Amino acid sequence: MASVGKILRRTFLIGSAAIVGGVAFGAYYVTRPAANPLKPREGEAALNPFVLIDQNGVTLFAPRAEMGQGVRTTWAALIAEELDVDLDQITVLHGPAAAAYYNSALVGEGLPNKGYDISNFQHNLGEALGVLGKTLSLQVTGGSTSMKDGFDRMRQAGASARETLKRAAANRLGVDPSDLKTASGHVIAPNGDKIAYSMLAEDAAGLEPVEVPLRDPSEWRYLGRSQPRLDMVGKATGTAEFGVDVRLPGMKFASVRMNPKLGGAMNGFDDSAARSMPGVEKVVDLGTGVAVIANNTWLANQAVEAIDVDWGDAPYPPETEEIFARIAEAFDDAPNSTMRDDGDVSASPENATEITAEYRVPYLAHATMEPMNATALYTGNALELWCGNQAPTLIQFRVANTAGLDIEAVQIHTTYLGGGFGRRGELDFGEIATKVAMAMPGTPVQTTWSREEDMRHDYFRPGAIARMRGAVQDGKAVLIDGKVAAQSPTQQAVERYTGFPGGGPDKVLVEGFFNQPYAVPNYRMSGHIADLAVPVGFWRSVGNSHNGFFHETFMDEMAHAASRDPLEFRLDLMKNEHAPSAGCLEAVKDMSGWTGQTTEGVGRGVAFTYSFGTPVAQVIEVVDEDGTIRISKAWIACDMGLALDPENVKAQMFGGMMYGLSAACFGEITFAEGEVEQFNFPDYDAMRMHTAPQVEVRVLETNRHMGGAGEPGTPPSMPALGNALFDLTGKRTRSLPLINQFNLLI
């Protein structure tokens, strides 16, 4: 089998010109297939960008990063389903940085619609626009799009490879391909003789790929069934390679320290103490920070901390409350978008009961278990970079620019990710590692951020404020007028990636806010962008993460104002608007035995969020144990439309909910004198085994289209917990984290 390194010798990428203006290249350029980046050696066949067959078997080059979501296993199942190989016969490697691995589902997600009510035309338009991802080289893992992206493409790749191998066998045997069958990695002749795919690789390499229709789902062997994770053994035995595990001959180790006043300048530094430490090889001036190269990471950490640095001020207000005052000022300006404006919200209907509320959530860190790191080898005319990342082509482009190289001279090796959640879609850790390696040409250098550096130099989930006004009448919501103000991660990210300022209506800012499937006659939801320079980015579920809390806490407040059961109140508004969403609420009602009544010392809350094409309802139960509140149970129901691996979907929903509960209970990034006040997990806690609830998940499949799984479990968890605490204590939560307001079990 060809090594990834050799395959990467000559990759194809549409570079900066495409990012800036690729759509101008014309329709042919947009729609023609991207070049196959795999360069097989003699005896190997790269039948398409995803499938390589050699004497050792079948290798799938997966274009999406494995960060615990099981994407490698399900993508292998999609290939195996049509290729007629057993799942354990497939070796999965991450594909190189290449336009052929573009995300075909990402662009369509940006269309300005609510999602749950799109017409077939809108759905098809979204799929058609997916090809723009190739022109933009969007090889990105994000947006809960991996299965939507791979569902057809992987099966088509497997089917085409199968038929091409049959054609090769037919030529060898002198029979018609239709007389041949395939099973378990073999072509089967009419007389029962078998020829292994590996024996046909060289012949197949010389043939044009054969296109055939996909199989009917009734013939599926793997899809729709739960499969053992292909990454399980490596992770259980410690042999799986993450970024920090990379080891190369002659390798050195570095640690970095950037301005804690984020975005501020570095006025100067005294590195004499660091240089005197035995084992320190070099101190690197990064312009806005410093790095130390040493014999090991621990020494590098100690040395970089010994440098006396004069930092410049941050380009944003230095204190948390001053930052939130600037966020609140955004309400004074015209909204960036009003993506839902039904009926008339100018005045409440006569005799309706009006309520108002203001909510606030803090900045949040991604807090990946594996801190940011990357290993770089710079030789003067070439660069190799090893790291876990969510955007290989984008990071390739960035580090090529940093090193002053053509992108063809840069190879990206994507390892397993010890947590991503959007953080590893950023490019800074690759850029810094490149600058460090350029200071020591010919020597591989692994740059690892300390936990403290990672926590304090994130692209944070933005803090946000929502102002809600609503009205209820005759037991129903008759008006919702919501406004949310926050920084825009999208606009910041566009500028970071392209150098051009982002603009236009920001759907991400109001997702989870404007597109909830409630039939409220007067319904307006607007987003206001706060002009601040705090670095913000895409945090798991992005805008849905705070908007789900705002919308569903307010929905609970409206239910109580209407003297209705909160779950039944939602059901009445939802059942004629979107049946799959109502089905999720019905499911958690059934699973939890919801009666609307709880016994003394027990509280229950319900919440719902439609996000990434998937409706998710959750019920959370809390108990008072001698004054300490414990989250005891949780029930989750989601409707995937099509669940390719049901147990993996359950795991994603479970994990997403836990991530959300961690943020709801403990997550908070605050600022003092321009610096982040949280350094490590003692300052930024998370749910642990003894604080986690018992969880039951039900996966439904009635939705018209396939939804995402990685992120939709997060948004409803926060309001469901807040609503449960209200049921238990009578105290309404309008801000997070909850540990500041309740005596939670820690």
Side-chain angles (χ1 to χ4, degrees):
M1 185 185 71
S3 68
V4 176
K6 291 188 177 181
I7 290 167
L8 286 171
R9 294 285 184 246
R10 183 76 179 167
T11 57
F12 178 86
L13 175 69
I14 305 167
S16 59
I19 292 173
V20 174
V23 293
F25 281 69
Y28 169 72
Y29 189 88
V30 170
T31 57
R32 72 177 181 178
N36 187 344
L38 304 182
K39 303 301 177 187
R41 299 175 301 190
E42 185 176 352
E44 300 173 339
L47 302 177
N48 50 57
F50 307 101
V51 179
L52 185 141
I53 298 177
D54 64 7
Q55 300 303 308
N56 297 315
V58 177
T59 299
L60 162 64
F61 285 85
R64 301 292 162 260
E66 178 60 77
M67 45 189 172
Q69 79 278 41
V71 65
R72 285 192 175 190
T73 302
T74 308
W75 276 56
L78 289 163
I79 285 279
E81 197 67 78
E82 291 285 347
L83 185 53
D84 281 340
V85 294
D86 299 332
L87 204 56
D88 58 7
Q89 293 179 304
I90 299 179
T91 300
V92 185
L93 299 176
H94 194 286
Y101 301 122
Y102 71 96
N103 189 325
S104 66
L106 206 55
V107 174
E109 295 296 308
L111 290 176
N113 56 58
K114 296 194 288 288
Y116 69 86
D117 63 347
I118 60 172
S119 65
N120 288 334
F121 173 79
Q122 289 173 314
H123 177 74
N124 294 336
L125 176 62
E127 291 193 335
L129 290 175
V131 73
L132 290 175
K134 170 176 67 70
T135 309
L136 298 170
S137 289
L138 285 178
Q139 185 184 2
V140 172
T141 304
S144 297
T145 54
S146 291
M147 291 306 111
K148 299 178 203 174
D149 173 33
F151 181 56
D152 285 339
R153 296 169 79 194
M154 287 301 96
R155 290 185 300 141
Q156 288 164 354
S160 175
R162 180 193 73 227
E163 292 304 311
T164 306
L165 289 161
K166 285 171 66 177
R167 179 68 57 84
N171 293 343
R172 182 180 293 188
L173 297 173
V175 301
D176 190 273
S178 63
D179 294 329
L180 301 174
K181 298 179 180 177
T182 50
S184 297
H186 293 78
V187 176
I188 304 172
N191 65 359
D193 289 346
K194 297 181 179 179
I195 308 175
Y197 286 172
S198 58
M199 303 303 294
L200 295 166
E202 196 162 356
D203 293 352
L207 301 176
E208 285 295 317
V210 179
E211 303 299 328
V212 292
L214 298 175
R215 286 172 170 156
D216 187 88
S218 63
E219 300 179 54
W220 288 351
R221 298 176 300 145
Y222 296 115
L223 302 180
R225 297 175 174 83
S226 296
Q227 306 299 330
R229 290 277 293 267
L230 298 180
D231 54 339
M232 187 185 307
V233 172
K235 290 180 176 176
T237 60
T239 56
E241 186 179 65
F242 292 80
V244 291
D245 297 323
V246 171
R247 291 293 179 269
L248 299 169
M251 187 168 165
K252 299 296 181 183
F253 301 85
S255 187
V256 65
R257 192 167 153 218
M258 306 298 287
N259 192 339
K261 299 171 183 178
L262 308 173
M266 181 173 70
N267 299 324
F269 63 89
D270 177 0
D271 61 357
S272 54
R275 289 184 183 276
S276 67
M277 298 173 74
V280 169
E281 303 262 349
K282 183 169 273 188
V283 174
V284 184
D285 183 348
L286 299 171
T288 55
V290 291
V292 169
I293 303 173
N295 290 336
N296 61 73
T297 300
W298 175 252
L299 174 59
N301 276 338
Q302 301 305 304
V304 82
E305 290 298 325
I307 299 174
D308 183 17
V309 187
D310 177 13
W311 300 116
D313 289 336
Y316 48 81
E319 305 296 325
T320 300
E321 290 308 314
E322 294 172 343
I323 290 172
F324 272 90
R326 288 280 295 277
I327 294 172
E329 289 175 5
F331 288 119
D332 298 334
D333 298 328
N336 165 265
S337 72
T338 300
M339 300 193 72
R340 186 168 197 157
D341 192 2
D342 302 336
D344 180 6
V345 299
S346 59
S348 296
E350 188 176 354
N351 299 323
T353 300
E354 184 171 308
I355 64 171
T356 60
E358 179 168 313
Y359 304 94
R360 168 174 154 173
V361 295
Y363 287 82
L364 294 174
H366 292 81
T368 61
M369 281 294 108
E370 180 191 18
M372 296 300 106
N373 67 87
T375 300
L377 172 59
Y378 172 76
T379 62
N381 55 16
L383 174 71
E384 289 187 78
L385 189 78
W386 293 258
C387 59
N389 71 88
Q390 295 176 242
T393 49
L394 300 183
I395 205 166
Q396 182 191 42
F397 179 64
R398 172 63 63 83
V399 300
N401 272 353
T402 300
L405 297 171
D406 294 335
I407 53 175
E408 289 83 1
V410 176
Q411 297 180 24
I412 304 297
H413 306 271
T414 300
T415 65
Y416 281 116
L417 283 65
F421 317 123
R423 177 64 180 92
R424 285 189 161 89
E426 300 291 344
L427 314 177
D428 54 338
F429 55 93
E431 180 177 345
I432 288 174
T434 299
K435 289 180 177 177
V436 172
M438 290 173 68
M440 196 170 279
T443 299
V445 184
Q446 182 175 87
T447 301
T448 304
W449 300 26
S450 67
R451 172 66 65 197
E452 290 76 10
E453 191 73 10
D454 184 301
M455 184 73 76
R456 304 181 78 206
H457 293 82
D458 203 339
Y459 292 96
F460 302 101
R461 196 288 302 274
I465 300 172
R467 292 175 177 170
M468 309 292 290
R469 181 173 69 91
V472 295
Q473 188 176 50
D474 300 328
K476 291 188 176 182
V478 293
L479 183 150
I480 300 177
D481 184 14
K483 301 174 182 177
V484 61
Q487 291 181 253
S488 168
T490 303
Q491 292 193 359
Q492 268 204 14
V494 167
E495 187 161 3
R496 283 197 296 271
Y497 295 154
T498 70
F500 288 87
D506 186 348
K507 180 180 178 181
V508 173
L509 181 70
V510 293
E511 63 184 4
F513 203 55
F514 82 99
N515 58 341
Q516 298 308 293
Y518 293 114
V520 179
N522 307 292
Y523 203 164
R524 181 176 69 181
M525 307 301 273
S526 302
H528 298 253
I529 294 179
D531 183 16
L532 278 160
V534 177
V536 295
F538 301 123
W539 189 91
R540 193 173 190 171
S541 75
V542 204
N544 296 286
S545 69
H546 49 73
N547 290 327
F549 174 73
F550 298 149
H551 196 286
E552 284 300 289
T553 306
F554 191 64
M555 189 61 72
D556 220 62
E557 295 207 47
M558 295 183 75
H560 284 279
S563 300
R564 293 287 311 280
D565 175 272
L567 196 152
E568 299 294 342
F569 180 77
R570 289 172 170 85
L571 264 179
D572 281 353
L573 296 171
M574 189 180 287
K575 58 189 177 185
N576 292 325
E577 183 74 4
H578 190 227
S581 294
C584 292
L585 279 173
E586 294 278 12
V588 292
K589 177 182 178 182
D590 173 64
M591 294 160 67
S592 65
W594 180 279
T595 63
Q597 303 297 320
T598 50
T599 59
E600 182 69 22
V602 176
R604 282 186 170 187
V606 62
F608 167 93
T609 306
Y610 175 90
S611 64
F612 304 98
T614 302
V616 180
Q618 295 180 6
V619 167
I620 288 180
E621 180 179 282
V622 295
V623 295
D624 186 331
E625 297 177 333
D626 298 325
T628 299
I629 299 174
R630 179 170 62 86
I631 306 171
S632 58
K633 296 178 181 176
W635 296 268
I636 307 172
C638 62
D639 196 328
M640 299 299 300
L642 175 62
L644 297 177
D645 187 326
E647 288 302 318
N648 196 42
V649 170
K650 290 181 181 179
Q652 288 296 291
M653 291 295 155
F654 189 126
M657 182 194 72
M658 295 300 293
Y659 197 73
L661 290 179
S662 292
C665 291
F666 309 112
E668 183 177 31
I669 292 293
T670 56
F671 297 84
E673 299 181 356
E675 300 185 16
V676 171
E677 294 186 289
Q678 290 70 32
F679 283 70
N680 207 322
F681 285 116
D683 313 314
Y684 196 89
D685 209 345
M687 299 294 290
R688 303 164 190 246
M689 294 294 285
H690 73 284
T691 57
Q694 296 178 8
V695 181
E696 182 182 347
V697 185
R698 184 179 295 178
V699 180
L700 308 176
E701 296 182 276
T702 72
N703 215 355
R704 283 191 301 149
H705 304 295
M706 183 190 299
E711 296 169 269
T714 299
S717 62
M718 303 181 211
L721 177 56
N723 295 338
L725 290 168
F726 175 76
D727 186 49
L728 177 69
T729 68
K731 180 179 179 181
R732 175 62 70 184
T733 298
R734 288 178 173 165
S735 64
L736 298 175
L738 298 164
I739 192 67
N740 294 343
Q741 305 159 64
F742 297 92
N743 185 26
L744 302 177
L745 179 66
I746 56 176

